[in-house]
Amino acid sequence: MDSEAPPDARHEDFAARISDVLRLGWLGHFSAGSSVLVELRDAPTSKTGERALCRALLALVSAALDDLPAARRLARQAIHDTARPPAATPPDKLRLLRLARALAANASVLVGDVVRGRRAAQARFVADDPESEWLVRAGTDLPWQNAPGSVERYAKFVDAVHRRYAQRRRPGPLTSREVLVLEHLAAGRSPAQTAALVGRSTHTVRTQIRNAYAKLGAHGREDALAEARALGLLDRGGQPQDRSMRTGSRRRSTTECTPSPARRSRSGEKEQGAPTERP
């Protein structure tokens, strides 16, 4: 029976295969990289940090392949795997956890799970590390060529993912309800407030918002609203009419059209006191 590889040798093999995945991503071969990552993640000898890194990279690969549900699920798993590492975590293992969490946060924001991604990036062991903080923002406003040397390969991979994601075929046009929730966002309302106004659950409204973000290729609220306005889906100055507003309008119109009792009384007195014309 073959004995298990020594830790150093196994670590070197894992690092070499991750490098292969990164190179495949640079070339746009994301499906091939996905197979390698699944094998590494499911290996019996894989450790927590290694599994987390594989899941974070798989989340990015799934985004590149336009599988958004898988991207969100894998990013959530990687964020969960990297929550609260013990203070005594060895530096090499802590580095894997940092990489995984930063990449998972990047993937979450990319596919519209913005709140989760930003919260993951706020973890102290990530936010206090300039290299990890750089990876969180990679692919957006930072050229990968400017990345610190230790994360440059990952930054180049993330950049390739973002470029592929931007070129993907977008789903069909927004539904009327997705446009409606965007109108409420534009008016400054929260998902909970929007849910109360449109008569849906907060969960449903959040799902509609995520779908709208994905269809618009947006990375957040402001990005989505700007894209929707550019496409003419939102009135630049208008406000959405919710049911309570319409109800109030009907009530006002009914009140204005129906004379008050005092007016009816005065009107009756006038009619009674007015002289009648004789034939």
Side-chain angles (χ1 to χ4, degrees):
M1 181 182 295
D2 293 334
S3 60
E4 185 180 341
D8 288 345
R10 196 182 62 78
H11 178 74
E12 289 176 3
D13 178 66
F14 177 82
R17 299 191 71 185
I18 290 294
S19 294
D20 292 340
V21 170
L22 298 179
R23 280 192 288 270
L24 288 168
W26 302 343
L27 299 173
H29 303 321
F30 293 106
S31 295
S34 176
S35 301
V36 176
L37 289 169
V38 169
E39 183 181 345
L40 289 173
R41 180 197 63 187
D42 297 340
T45 57
S46 66
K47 307 299 181 184
T48 301
E50 295 168 346
R51 284 194 300 271
L53 181 58
C54 289
R55 283 171 174 154
L57 289 170
L58 278 168
L60 288 164
V61 166
S62 298
L65 297 175
D66 209 12
D67 188 350
L68 304 190
R72 294 190 187 102
R73 184 184 71 254
L74 289 160
R76 284 197 302 268
Q77 291 173 350
I79 290 170
H80 179 269
D81 290 344
T82 56
R84 298 185 181 88
T89 304
D92 57 335
K93 294 182 180 179
L94 188 62
R95 172 175 164 74
L96 285 178
L97 295 174
R98 280 199 187 105
L99 285 171
R101 195 170 185 89
L103 293 170
N106 188 295
S108 293
V109 173
L110 177 63
V111 297
D113 201 353
V114 179
V115 174
R116 189 185 305 274
R118 287 178 178 170
R119 285 177 178 169
Q122 289 170 357
R124 181 171 296 179
F125 77 104
V126 172
D128 291 347
D129 180 62
E131 296 176 353
S132 301
E133 182 65 20
W134 208 100
L135 277 183
V136 170
R137 297 172 55 198
T140 54
D141 56 344
L142 299 174
W144 68 264
Q145 295 90 340
N146 295 345
S150 59
V151 295
E152 183 179 4
R153 297 175 305 145
Y154 289 95
K156 186 177 179 180
F157 178 86
V158 172
D159 183 76
V161 168
H162 279 247
R163 282 188 284 106
R164 171 68 71 87
Y165 184 80
Q167 296 168 0
R168 78 198 192 287
R169 183 177 62 82
R170 293 178 182 175
L174 270 64
T175 66
S176 59
R177 291 201 174 276
E178 288 165 354
V179 173
L180 180 61
V181 296
L182 286 181
E183 289 176 344
H184 284 288
L185 289 182
R189 298 189 177 99
S190 68
Q193 292 170 326
T194 299
L197 291 171
V198 301
R200 292 290 185 273
S201 69
T202 303
H203 174 76
T204 298
V205 168
R206 289 187 186 279
T207 299
Q208 291 168 343
I209 292 172
R210 282 199 302 269
N211 291 342
Y213 284 7
K215 291 178 181 181
L216 293 170
H219 302 304
R221 175 187 296 225
E222 296 305 320
D223 194 12
L225 295 179
E227 183 69 15
R229 290 189 180 102
L231 295 173
L233 298 175
L234 291 181
D235 182 356
R236 293 178 183 273
Q239 297 289 331
Q241 274 202 343
D242 55 63
R243 291 190 298 175
S244 63
M245 291 166 65
R246 291 195 293 270
T247 303
S249 175
R250 286 198 296 269
R251 287 173 180 166
R252 284 193 299 273
S253 61
T254 303
T255 303
E256 290 167 0
C257 295
T258 305
S260 65
R263 288 182 63 185
R264 284 200 298 268
S265 176
R266 288 195 299 272
S267 176
E269 290 171 3
K270 265 186 193 173
E271 291 174 1
Q272 290 173 4
T276 56
E277 185 177 349
R278 293 182 181 180

